[in-house]
Amino acid sequence: MSPTRRPSRLRRNLQYCLWEVMFGVPSMFLAAPGNVVMTVLLTRYFHLSVARFGILVSLQALFNALQVGVMPALNRHFTAKRLALVGGWVHCATVFALVGVLPFLRQDGTHGVFFILIGFFAVQAAAMSLIAVSWTSWVQEFAPERIRGKYFGRRNAAQQVATVVFLIFVGWWLAQDGEGGEKGLLFGLAMLLGGSMLMRVSSLCMQGKTYSPVDLAVKAGDGAAGGVQRATNRSWQWQLQRILEQPQFLRYLWFGAAFGFTINLMGPFFNVFMLDVLRMSVSQVTTLVVLSSITGAAAMVGWGPFIDRYGNRPVMVFCLITWMMNGYLWTVTTPERLWVLYLMWAVAGVFAAGFMQGLFGLLLKIVPPEAKTTAISVNMAVTALPATVAPIMGGWLLDMALAQGWDKLTVYQWGAAIYHTLIMSTVMLLLRVTEPKSQPISQLVGAMRSYRNVVSVLGLTFLVDYLFYRRRRE
């Protein structure tokens, strides 16, 4: 009999990484600003105004922008794994604390309750911004480049399946508990949040059992090992100067800032539109999200050959225009004509997936390889700053229009028309970005968090934690 062989460290790491995303899907979905569960909590239970809802939604973008000032210092003193775990445990503790105080908070949306909610959501946003950068950097330490494409393709597929299953459960669960009135709704939301965080605890435990070479060196007491590895990189100031010398990257930043502002202007409020104005049930809204997730995931495979043949920018322009033209169907959607939404979300999933895939590919081509981490961090901060202001402005404009006595349905229909027109106008900035014919960087550190969060609200939920890898040619 041959002796039993224990799985290698690499195989154990990959197994833990696969299972931790399966258990972490619910918490990642609930952390996305404007998701349907938090929308129900804030607008149906606490009865917050649209303007206050926009302020809470904007917090994630704000902390995504602020991270660029603290991440360089944190990276010098802590490993990527430690930062990712700290962010995960802080997120869990924050949501558990929120569940604990929910029964004691007034439901009338008074100033005191609103500021308490700001505190909880601010801590959660800070934790998620920490995870957004550190976790993806940590993955590069233990996942060899030669297997990343194949492995993360399987991991992304498992994540998509888990997301769809979770969304179906959310719709069914909230529909059951919503029949019990306010108490039933509170019980359903509390159980959903608490159960998701319990799964997140399991996910974090699996992350704790994953060790990269840097983590093993630190665990063995060789604290200099990780520092030596980080010291071989150029300084943050040198990398910043290097990326500022790239005109195409600066043009990309202008487009990213404009796109980040316009897509966040009204994007987080469409769930409010469906739940409050169109009088749709939570199960109906989650069905739309599931439909868009399925069509987007299926289309993701097909867009790759088009990008390889025609380039990222042409595909992005075509997809963005088609995606926004499809969005004008919001203007003819009424409570008696909800079937339009199913067509619209199915089509949006297809073209939004192509646009997002091109967005990542274009960034890979214009980022200088020797400064890619700093460039991605700067890109995340620049796109997040306008995204911080946009939901606040959008909520204020919607509240102001409703205060004039205008019909809610008309306000949202005209708002949708203006919203999609503004997003489509950013194509003019995109056309100024020249796509070089160069080999793309082999991996992407979690870069487009500001875009991915709001796109998840619009239907492509699996993109929140999606890692894009192009299959290597034989």
mmCIF file of all heavy atoms in Angstrom, residues 159-193:
data_model
loop_
_atom_site.group_PDB
_atom_site.id
_atom_site.type_symbol
_atom_site.label_atom_id
_atom_site.label_comp_id
_atom_site.label_asym_id
_atom_site.label_seq_id
_atom_site.Cartn_x
_atom_site.Cartn_y
_atom_site.Cartn_z
ATOM 1 N N GLN A 159 -18.919 31.201 -7.527
ATOM 2 C CA GLN A 159 -19.440 32.411 -6.895
ATOM 3 C C GLN A 159 -20.755 32.847 -7.530
ATOM 4 O O GLN A 159 -21.688 33.275 -6.841
ATOM 5 C CB GLN A 159 -18.405 33.530 -6.997
ATOM 6 C CG GLN A 159 -18.850 34.837 -6.374
ATOM 7 C CD GLN A 159 -17.821 35.922 -6.548
ATOM 8 O OE1 GLN A 159 -16.691 35.664 -6.965
ATOM 9 N NE2 GLN A 159 -18.184 37.147 -6.229
ATOM 10 N N GLN A 160 -20.845 32.742 -8.835
ATOM 11 C CA GLN A 160 -22.072 33.116 -9.527
ATOM 12 C C GLN A 160 -23.238 32.222 -9.117
ATOM 13 O O GLN A 160 -24.357 32.696 -8.888
ATOM 14 C CB GLN A 160 -21.855 33.051 -11.033
ATOM 15 C CG GLN A 160 -20.875 34.086 -11.555
ATOM 16 C CD GLN A 160 -20.406 33.786 -12.958
ATOM 17 O OE1 GLN A 160 -21.105 33.142 -13.721
ATOM 18 N NE2 GLN A 160 -19.225 34.245 -13.308
ATOM 19 N N VAL A 161 -22.976 30.922 -9.023
ATOM 20 C CA VAL A 161 -24.030 29.993 -8.605
ATOM 21 C C VAL A 161 -24.491 30.318 -7.192
ATOM 22 O O VAL A 161 -25.703 30.370 -6.906
ATOM 23 C CB VAL A 161 -23.524 28.542 -8.693
ATOM 24 C CG1 VAL A 161 -24.552 27.583 -8.097
ATOM 25 C CG2 VAL A 161 -23.230 28.165 -10.140
ATOM 26 N N ALA A 162 -23.547 30.575 -6.289
ATOM 27 C CA ALA A 162 -23.905 30.902 -4.905
ATOM 28 C C ALA A 162 -24.693 32.203 -4.831
ATOM 29 O O ALA A 162 -25.633 32.331 -4.035
ATOM 30 C CB ALA A 162 -22.641 31.005 -4.055
ATOM 31 N N THR A 163 -24.349 33.173 -5.665
ATOM 32 C CA THR A 163 -25.057 34.451 -5.667
ATOM 33 C C THR A 163 -26.497 34.288 -6.109
ATOM 34 O O THR A 163 -27.421 34.843 -5.495
ATOM 35 C CB THR A 163 -24.336 35.449 -6.582
ATOM 36 O OG1 THR A 163 -22.990 35.641 -6.115
ATOM 37 C CG2 THR A 163 -25.051 36.792 -6.594
ATOM 38 N N VAL A 164 -26.713 33.530 -7.177
ATOM 39 C CA VAL A 164 -28.073 33.316 -7.670
ATOM 40 C C VAL A 164 -28.923 32.598 -6.622
ATOM 41 O O VAL A 164 -30.076 32.969 -6.367
ATOM 42 C CB VAL A 164 -28.034 32.534 -9.000
ATOM 43 C CG1 VAL A 164 -29.441 32.097 -9.406
ATOM 44 C CG2 VAL A 164 -27.409 33.381 -10.096
ATOM 45 N N VAL A 165 -28.347 31.577 -5.999
ATOM 46 C CA VAL A 165 -29.081 30.835 -4.963
ATOM 47 C C VAL A 165 -29.428 31.756 -3.800
ATOM 48 O O VAL A 165 -30.555 31.743 -3.279
ATOM 49 C CB VAL A 165 -28.257 29.626 -4.474
ATOM 50 C CG1 VAL A 165 -28.931 28.966 -3.269
ATOM 51 C CG2 VAL A 165 -28.089 28.617 -5.606
ATOM 52 N N PHE A 166 -28.485 32.589 -3.392
ATOM 53 C CA PHE A 166 -28.736 33.503 -2.281
ATOM 54 C C PHE A 166 -29.827 34.516 -2.624
ATOM 55 O O PHE A 166 -30.697 34.815 -1.788
ATOM 56 C CB PHE A 166 -27.445 34.224 -1.910
ATOM 57 C CG PHE A 166 -27.619 35.279 -0.847
ATOM 58 C CD1 PHE A 166 -27.909 34.925 0.457
ATOM 59 C CD2 PHE A 166 -27.504 36.624 -1.160
ATOM 60 C CE1 PHE A 166 -28.078 35.885 1.439
ATOM 61 C CE2 PHE A 166 -27.677 37.594 -0.189
ATOM 62 C CZ PHE A 166 -27.961 37.229 1.117
ATOM 63 N N LEU A 167 -29.821 35.051 -3.842
ATOM 64 C CA LEU A 167 -30.830 36.025 -4.230
ATOM 65 C C LEU A 167 -32.223 35.406 -4.262
ATOM 66 O O LEU A 167 -33.210 36.041 -3.856
ATOM 67 C CB LEU A 167 -30.487 36.607 -5.599
ATOM 68 C CG LEU A 167 -29.303 37.580 -5.629
ATOM 69 C CD1 LEU A 167 -28.941 37.932 -7.056
ATOM 70 C CD2 LEU A 167 -29.619 38.829 -4.834
ATOM 71 N N ILE A 168 -32.317 34.192 -4.738
ATOM 72 C CA ILE A 168 -33.618 33.508 -4.733
ATOM 73 C C ILE A 168 -34.108 33.318 -3.302
ATOM 74 O O ILE A 168 -35.289 33.537 -2.993
ATOM 75 C CB ILE A 168 -33.511 32.158 -5.462
ATOM 76 C CG1 ILE A 168 -33.204 32.387 -6.956
ATOM 77 C CG2 ILE A 168 -34.789 31.348 -5.308
ATOM 78 C CD1 ILE A 168 -32.941 31.109 -7.727
ATOM 79 N N PHE A 169 -33.198 32.938 -2.410
ATOM 80 C CA PHE A 169 -33.571 32.761 -1.007
ATOM 81 C C PHE A 169 -33.995 34.086 -0.382
ATOM 82 O O PHE A 169 -34.957 34.137 0.403
ATOM 83 C CB PHE A 169 -32.405 32.163 -0.231
ATOM 84 C CG PHE A 169 -32.636 32.080 1.247
ATOM 85 C CD1 PHE A 169 -33.449 31.092 1.782
ATOM 86 C CD2 PHE A 169 -32.061 33.012 2.112
ATOM 87 C CE1 PHE A 169 -33.682 31.024 3.148
ATOM 88 C CE2 PHE A 169 -32.287 32.954 3.477
ATOM 89 C CZ PHE A 169 -33.100 31.954 4.002
ATOM 90 N N VAL A 170 -33.296 35.176 -0.702
ATOM 91 C CA VAL A 170 -33.640 36.489 -0.146
ATOM 92 C C VAL A 170 -35.056 36.881 -0.519
ATOM 93 O O VAL A 170 -35.848 37.335 0.322
ATOM 94 C CB VAL A 170 -32.637 37.558 -0.629
ATOM 95 C CG1 VAL A 170 -33.167 38.964 -0.357
ATOM 96 C CG2 VAL A 170 -31.296 37.370 0.067
ATOM 97 N N GLY A 171 -35.399 36.714 -1.802
ATOM 98 C CA GLY A 171 -36.747 37.059 -2.232
ATOM 99 C C GLY A 171 -37.812 36.241 -1.518
ATOM 100 O O GLY A 171 -38.840 36.788 -1.088
ATOM 101 N N TRP A 172 -37.569 34.951 -1.380
ATOM 102 C CA TRP A 172 -38.555 34.091 -0.715
ATOM 103 C C TRP A 172 -38.636 34.419 0.776
ATOM 104 O O TRP A 172 -39.732 34.512 1.332
ATOM 105 C CB TRP A 172 -38.158 32.629 -0.914
ATOM 106 C CG TRP A 172 -39.009 31.683 -0.102
ATOM 107 C CD1 TRP A 172 -40.239 31.195 -0.427
ATOM 108 C CD2 TRP A 172 -38.680 31.128 1.181
ATOM 109 N NE1 TRP A 172 -40.707 30.370 0.562
ATOM 110 C CE2 TRP A 172 -39.770 30.304 1.575
ATOM 111 C CE3 TRP A 172 -37.577 31.236 2.025
ATOM 112 C CZ2 TRP A 172 -39.778 29.610 2.767
ATOM 113 C CZ3 TRP A 172 -37.588 30.545 3.226
ATOM 114 C CH2 TRP A 172 -38.680 29.739 3.586
ATOM 115 N N TRP A 173 -37.492 34.612 1.424
ATOM 116 C CA TRP A 173 -37.473 34.834 2.869
ATOM 117 C C TRP A 173 -38.171 36.141 3.253
ATOM 118 O O TRP A 173 -39.006 36.171 4.160
ATOM 119 C CB TRP A 173 -36.027 34.849 3.362
ATOM 120 C CG TRP A 173 -35.877 35.108 4.834
ATOM 121 C CD1 TRP A 173 -35.515 36.284 5.423
ATOM 122 C CD2 TRP A 173 -36.070 34.176 5.901
ATOM 123 N NE1 TRP A 173 -35.476 36.148 6.786
ATOM 124 C CE2 TRP A 173 -35.807 34.861 7.108
ATOM 125 C CE3 TRP A 173 -36.429 32.835 5.958
ATOM 126 C CZ2 TRP A 173 -35.912 34.250 8.353
ATOM 127 C CZ3 TRP A 173 -36.528 32.228 7.206
ATOM 128 C CH2 TRP A 173 -36.272 32.920 8.372
ATOM 129 N N LEU A 174 -37.853 37.223 2.567
ATOM 130 C CA LEU A 174 -38.466 38.502 2.900
ATOM 131 C C LEU A 174 -39.943 38.526 2.532
ATOM 132 O O LEU A 174 -40.725 39.231 3.179
ATOM 133 C CB LEU A 174 -37.724 39.638 2.202
ATOM 134 C CG LEU A 174 -36.297 39.901 2.693
ATOM 135 C CD1 LEU A 174 -35.685 41.084 1.960
ATOM 136 C CD2 LEU A 174 -36.279 40.154 4.197
ATOM 137 N N ALA A 175 -40.335 37.780 1.506
ATOM 138 C CA ALA A 175 -41.752 37.706 1.175
ATOM 139 C C ALA A 175 -42.536 37.003 2.277
ATOM 140 O O ALA A 175 -43.667 37.388 2.599
ATOM 141 C CB ALA A 175 -41.950 36.981 -0.156
ATOM 142 N N GLN A 176 -41.938 35.984 2.894
ATOM 143 C CA GLN A 176 -42.615 35.272 3.969
ATOM 144 C C GLN A 176 -42.751 36.135 5.218
ATOM 145 O O GLN A 176 -43.815 36.216 5.823
ATOM 146 C CB GLN A 176 -41.843 33.986 4.319
ATOM 147 C CG GLN A 176 -41.712 33.003 3.171
ATOM 148 C CD GLN A 176 -43.055 32.486 2.692
ATOM 149 O OE1 GLN A 176 -43.928 32.159 3.476
ATOM 150 N NE2 GLN A 176 -43.220 32.431 1.377
ATOM 151 N N ASP A 177 -41.662 36.794 5.595
ATOM 152 C CA ASP A 177 -41.684 37.574 6.832
ATOM 153 C C ASP A 177 -42.373 38.914 6.655
ATOM 154 O O ASP A 177 -42.818 39.516 7.624
ATOM 155 C CB ASP A 177 -40.254 37.791 7.342
ATOM 156 C CG ASP A 177 -39.621 36.493 7.815
ATOM 157 O OD1 ASP A 177 -40.010 35.991 8.872
ATOM 158 O OD2 ASP A 177 -38.756 35.975 7.099
ATOM 159 N N GLY A 178 -42.453 39.416 5.416
ATOM 160 C CA GLY A 178 -43.117 40.688 5.191
ATOM 161 C C GLY A 178 -44.600 40.624 5.444
ATOM 162 O O GLY A 178 -45.259 41.645 5.651
ATOM 163 N N GLU A 179 -45.169 39.395 5.423
ATOM 164 C CA GLU A 179 -46.606 39.254 5.659
ATOM 165 C C GLU A 179 -46.967 39.510 7.114
ATOM 166 O O GLU A 179 -48.128 39.707 7.451
ATOM 167 C CB GLU A 179 -47.045 37.846 5.251
ATOM 168 C CG GLU A 179 -46.845 37.552 3.757
ATOM 169 C CD GLU A 179 -47.176 36.112 3.418
ATOM 170 O OE1 GLU A 179 -47.490 35.354 4.354
ATOM 171 O OE2 GLU A 179 -47.129 35.759 2.221
ATOM 172 N N GLY A 180 -45.990 39.525 8.009
ATOM 173 C CA GLY A 180 -46.253 39.744 9.424
ATOM 174 C C GLY A 180 -46.200 41.190 9.846
ATOM 175 O O GLY A 180 -46.105 41.465 11.049
ATOM 176 N N GLY A 181 -46.219 42.137 8.906
ATOM 177 C CA GLY A 181 -46.173 43.548 9.238
ATOM 178 C C GLY A 181 -44.764 43.997 9.590
ATOM 179 O O GLY A 181 -43.770 43.383 9.194
ATOM 180 N N GLU A 182 -44.685 45.098 10.359
ATOM 181 C CA GLU A 182 -43.388 45.670 10.707
ATOM 182 C C GLU A 182 -42.546 44.714 11.540
ATOM 183 O O GLU A 182 -41.342 44.575 11.339
ATOM 184 C CB GLU A 182 -43.603 46.980 11.475
ATOM 185 C CG GLU A 182 -44.300 48.069 10.670
ATOM 186 C CD GLU A 182 -43.426 48.592 9.548
ATOM 187 O OE1 GLU A 182 -42.203 48.359 9.580
ATOM 188 O OE2 GLU A 182 -43.960 49.224 8.633
ATOM 189 N N LYS A 183 -43.181 44.009 12.476
ATOM 190 C CA LYS A 183 -42.433 43.060 13.310
ATOM 191 C C LYS A 183 -41.912 41.894 12.483
ATOM 192 O O LYS A 183 -40.786 41.437 12.667
ATOM 193 C CB LYS A 183 -43.311 42.560 14.450
ATOM 194 C CG LYS A 183 -43.641 43.617 15.497
ATOM 195 C CD LYS A 183 -44.419 43.021 16.660
ATOM 196 C CE LYS A 183 -44.691 44.065 17.732
ATOM 197 N NZ LYS A 183 -45.462 43.512 18.868
ATOM 198 N N GLY A 184 -42.744 41.416 11.566
ATOM 199 C CA GLY A 184 -42.299 40.330 10.708
ATOM 200 C C GLY A 184 -41.172 40.758 9.796
ATOM 201 O O GLY A 184 -40.215 40.005 9.561
ATOM 202 N N LEU A 185 -41.251 41.995 9.284
ATOM 203 C CA LEU A 185 -40.184 42.508 8.429
ATOM 204 C C LEU A 185 -38.890 42.656 9.212
ATOM 205 O O LEU A 185 -37.806 42.299 8.719
ATOM 206 C CB LEU A 185 -40.605 43.850 7.834
ATOM 207 C CG LEU A 185 -39.611 44.523 6.886
ATOM 208 C CD1 LEU A 185 -39.332 43.624 5.689
ATOM 209 C CD2 LEU A 185 -40.121 45.882 6.441
ATOM 210 N N LEU A 186 -38.974 43.181 10.444
ATOM 211 C CA LEU A 186 -37.772 43.329 11.270
ATOM 212 C C LEU A 186 -37.149 41.974 11.570
ATOM 213 O O LEU A 186 -35.925 41.814 11.492
ATOM 214 C CB LEU A 186 -38.136 44.041 12.574
ATOM 215 C CG LEU A 186 -36.999 44.165 13.601
ATOM 216 C CD1 LEU A 186 -35.857 44.980 13.027
ATOM 217 C CD2 LEU A 186 -37.509 44.789 14.892
ATOM 218 N N PHE A 187 -37.984 40.991 11.898
ATOM 219 C CA PHE A 187 -37.458 39.654 12.187
ATOM 220 C C PHE A 187 -36.765 39.074 10.950
ATOM 221 O O PHE A 187 -35.671 38.506 11.052
ATOM 222 C CB PHE A 187 -38.595 38.735 12.625
ATOM 223 C CG PHE A 187 -38.184 37.302 12.811
ATOM 224 C CD1 PHE A 187 -37.518 36.900 13.953
ATOM 225 C CD2 PHE A 187 -38.449 36.355 11.819
ATOM 226 C CE1 PHE A 187 -37.129 35.577 14.114
ATOM 227 C CE2 PHE A 187 -38.065 35.031 11.975
ATOM 228 C CZ PHE A 187 -37.403 34.645 13.127
ATOM 229 N N GLY A 188 -37.388 39.229 9.793
ATOM 230 C CA GLY A 188 -36.797 38.693 8.573
ATOM 231 C C GLY A 188 -35.476 39.349 8.238
ATOM 232 O O GLY A 188 -34.500 38.672 7.875
ATOM 233 N N LEU A 189 -35.387 40.676 8.380
ATOM 234 C CA LEU A 189 -34.142 41.384 8.084
ATOM 235 C C LEU A 189 -33.052 41.011 9.090
ATOM 236 O O LEU A 189 -31.894 40.796 8.709
ATOM 237 C CB LEU A 189 -34.387 42.886 8.112
ATOM 238 C CG LEU A 189 -35.239 43.456 6.963
ATOM 239 C CD1 LEU A 189 -35.612 44.907 7.241
ATOM 240 C CD2 LEU A 189 -34.505 43.345 5.639
ATOM 241 N N ALA A 190 -33.418 40.932 10.373
ATOM 242 C CA ALA A 190 -32.425 40.601 11.396
ATOM 243 C C ALA A 190 -31.867 39.194 11.194
ATOM 244 O O ALA A 190 -30.646 38.975 11.291
ATOM 245 C CB ALA A 190 -33.049 40.737 12.787
ATOM 246 N N MET A 191 -32.739 38.246 10.902
ATOM 247 C CA MET A 191 -32.282 36.874 10.682
ATOM 248 C C MET A 191 -31.413 36.778 9.431
ATOM 249 O O MET A 191 -30.417 36.043 9.395
ATOM 250 C CB MET A 191 -33.483 35.941 10.571
ATOM 251 C CG MET A 191 -34.272 35.786 11.866
ATOM 252 S SD MET A 191 -33.281 35.060 13.202
ATOM 253 C CE MET A 191 -33.014 33.418 12.545
ATOM 254 N N LEU A 192 -31.779 37.529 8.406
ATOM 255 C CA LEU A 192 -31.010 37.503 7.164
ATOM 256 C C LEU A 192 -29.620 38.093 7.374
ATOM 257 O O LEU A 192 -28.607 37.519 6.939
ATOM 258 C CB LEU A 192 -31.762 38.271 6.077
ATOM 259 C CG LEU A 192 -31.210 38.193 4.659
ATOM 260 C CD1 LEU A 192 -31.188 36.754 4.160
ATOM 261 C CD2 LEU A 192 -32.058 39.049 3.719
ATOM 262 N N LEU A 193 -29.548 39.235 8.047
ATOM 263 C CA LEU A 193 -28.258 39.861 8.309
ATOM 264 C C LEU A 193 -27.405 38.992 9.240
ATOM 265 O O LEU A 193 -26.214 38.771 8.996
ATOM 266 C CB LEU A 193 -28.465 41.237 8.934
ATOM 267 C CG LEU A 193 -29.097 42.307 8.035
ATOM 268 C CD1 LEU A 193 -29.394 43.570 8.829
ATOM 269 C CD2 LEU A 193 -28.186 42.629 6.868
#
